[in-house]
Structure formats: structure tokens, C-alpha cells
Amino acid sequence: MAMKAVKYCVVDAFADAAFKGNPAAVCLLEEDRDDEWLQSVATEFNLSETCYLTPLTLSKANPTFGLRWFTPVHEVNLCGHATLAAAHFLFSYGLVKTDTIEFSTKSGILTAKKVAEAKASNSQDDSPTGYSIELDFPVVQVAETNSADVAAISESFNGAPVVEIHETSMSDLFILLPSGEAVAECQPQFDQIKNCPGRGIIITGPAPQGSGFDFYSRFFCPKLGINEDPICGSAHCALAPYWRKKLGKCDFVALAASPRGGVVNVHLDAENQRVFLRGKAVTVMEGSLLV
């Protein structure tokens, strides 16, 4: 028997207009597909993440979907922007009737909820929705590491000055540069980054005074087929507790300073070890997978 066509859309996450933010492909599965097929589709899309939704429980107060994330070469355990894209897909296509969705994932139960926003009379915001989506994610721990070669890390970013090196519980290196400008201006050498220890590299630095931001960051993961993730939501699960110690606050406006770039609003619940990421999303493409 032929398999049913799989509905998909491509969503720009952490964006209030098309062709901004971080694109992710979202696929709704009504039949089981094997992992080889899931990975092949993600390779075909060739975006930093392709995610797959499977309806689990739709009758309860908060509907629950299974959610998995794949880069072009590998499955990952946590992804922020693709979760935001998945929630936007479900909300905007009317596939859920509630304001909160639960996702069953390899990182436990994650939630996404609509947060209404008052639109100012002089607002130039042309996004199609009057709400943001808030994600409830686990904190990613950041610890000291002695395994990284400072000189090699600096060379991997064309001589960028490295102030601190840490490692996250997701096996990413976490690098502090002296300023947000240094983060935005650094020139990654992807072949050298592949030789660095760990899965990927987060770089961050304090935002310029008066910029309206608290910190800048970028994320590089060529080992998983992502030279640079334009806006890495899950990286902010490590950035939030780190910058709380530096800045003594729990609410942040963060700039993902990649060439495409975007803004992430972040709240840290230190007591419960949760990070709340808030943003908008825009659907830019839709269709069906026929194989």
C-alpha cells in the first residue's frame, strides 16, 4: 500500500517577517516512518533542522505531539527554533484548539504557548499574528573545561581574542569573547572548527552599551552539517544561566549575531532550572512529500 503524502511547511523562526530568522522544515506524520527516511528527508531539505510531529494525545487539556529534530546529517536531542516552528505550524493551521501544546521529546516534555501582544498604534510590525510563542526548555549547564586549546580555538575564529572557555552539558564548547562586536565580526574557519573538541561551539560577548541587548551570540556546528546556525534557540539554554552570573538578572534580550541574525527574548527560572524562549514565526513555504 502506498504511503500517504506528508504535509510540510518551511517556517522562519524567531522572525516577524519572511526571509529573516532561522528557517526550519516541519513535517506532520500520520503514519510511522523509519529513521532512514526521516534522515533522508532532512538531508533533502538541507536546513539546519527538519522536525517531525506525531500526534499522540489530542483529547486532553493540552494536546501532545511527539517531536524529533534532525540536522542534514544527524538527529539531535534539543532544538529551539524548530520547536518554535512546529508550534507555529500547529497554531496557524488550526490543528490545535488550545493556547498551549506539549511536545514529547528526547529532552522530556517541552511546552509552547501563545502569548498575546498588544500592538502599539504606531507599530510597523507587519507579522501575521498578534501573539508570540513562548517555549519552556530545560537549563543546559555550563562548566569549566581544561580540554580546549586556547590558541587553536582562537585560530578557528581567525585570531579572535578568547577570554574564557567552558563546556556545556550538551558537549558544546562555550567561548567568551571580549565584546558583542567581536562576536559579530569574527570570521569562523569551519575546517578548523571541525577539529576542535566537542560537538559545536557557542561564542558570546557582552552587548554594546545602549544597543538594547544584553549579550550577543553565535553557534557553529559543522560536525552535524551546520556550519552556522542562524539563531540557535537551545544555545540560549546555556547562555541564560551563564549571563545571569555575569549580569545578575534573569530576563534578557539577546541578539543572535549571525549574518542572518535575529532576536531572542529569554527568561531564566533559576529555581526550577528552566529557560523560557519567546519569539514569532512566519510560514514561507508549504507542500507535500510524495515519497
Side-chain angles (χ1 to χ4, degrees):
M1 180 181 296
M3 302 291 282
K4 291 182 180 178
V6 174
K7 181 177 178 58
Y8 78 85
C9 66
V10 176
V11 176
D12 287 341
F14 294 112
D16 58 9
F19 313 125
K20 298 181 179 180
N22 196 357
V26 183
C27 302
L28 180 63
L29 301 181
E30 298 181 79
E31 298 175 313
D32 289 337
R33 299 282 186 146
D34 61 38
D35 286 6
E36 181 180 0
W37 185 90
L38 300 179
Q39 186 61 71
S40 295
V41 170
T43 302
E44 185 79 4
F45 276 117
N46 199 34
L47 298 170
S48 59
E49 297 290 345
T50 295
C51 68
Y52 300 95
L53 287 165
T54 305
L56 298 179
T57 307
L58 302 182
S59 59
K60 59 186 287 190
N62 295 328
T64 303
F65 291 79
L67 180 61
R68 296 174 70 180
W69 310 278
F70 288 75
T71 77
V73 300
H74 202 276
E75 184 175 11
V76 298
N77 291 335
L78 187 65
C79 178
H81 85 278
T83 304
L84 179 63
H88 170 80
F89 169 78
L90 294 171
F91 286 137
S92 63
Y93 282 90
L95 298 174
V96 295
K97 305 302 181 184
T98 63
D99 288 343
T100 302
I101 305 167
E102 294 182 352
F103 296 111
S104 177
T105 78
K106 290 190 173 183
S107 291
I109 297 295
L110 310 177
T111 63
K113 70 176 182 179
K114 288 183 180 180
V115 179
E117 293 185 344
K119 193 168 183 179
S121 59
N122 63 345
S123 173
Q124 298 300 308
D125 180 5
D126 59 356
S127 64
T129 63
Y131 61 87
S132 292
I133 297 172
E134 184 177 80
L135 308 177
D136 179 351
F137 271 34
V139 160
V140 173
Q141 302 296 332
V142 179
E144 297 288 343
T145 179
N146 296 317
S147 63
D149 183 329
V150 174
I153 297 296
S154 178
E155 289 176 8
S156 297
F157 293 96
N158 203 33
V162 173
V163 178
E164 297 175 9
I165 300 179
H166 304 272
E167 186 175 358
T168 77
S169 55
M170 294 183 70
S171 299
D172 295 320
L173 289 180
F174 186 105
I175 311 299
L176 178 68
L177 300 185
S179 67
E181 293 97 332
V183 171
E185 294 168 4
C186 83
Q187 300 174 25
Q189 310 300 304
F190 298 115
D191 287 341
Q192 292 179 256
I193 290 174
K194 286 182 180 179
N195 295 324
C196 292
R199 183 188 69 158
I201 299 180
I202 301 167
I203 63 171
T204 189
Q209 190 170 7
S211 67
F213 299 105
D214 294 295
F215 59 84
Y216 289 10
S217 71
R218 294 170 71 180
F219 179 64
F220 308 91
C221 199
K223 292 178 184 178
L224 294 186
I226 309 166
N227 279 347
E228 179 167 6
D229 200 9
I231 305 173
C232 183
S234 61
H236 289 78
C237 296
L239 289 158
Y242 175 84
W243 283 106
R244 176 178 180 261
K245 293 179 181 179
K246 290 283 189 181
L247 301 178
K249 58 192 292 187
C250 290
D251 290 285
F252 309 95
V253 181
L255 178 67
S258 68
R260 184 157 171 144
V263 179
V264 184
N265 290 285
V266 185
H267 171 71
L268 172 67
D269 180 348
E271 180 178 354
N272 294 306
Q273 292 291 282
R274 306 296 293 182
V275 176
F276 296 86
L277 310 175
R278 187 179 294 187
K280 294 188 176 186
V282 179
T283 301
V284 296
M285 189 185 306
E286 62 180 23
S288 297
L289 295 164
L290 304 178
V291 296

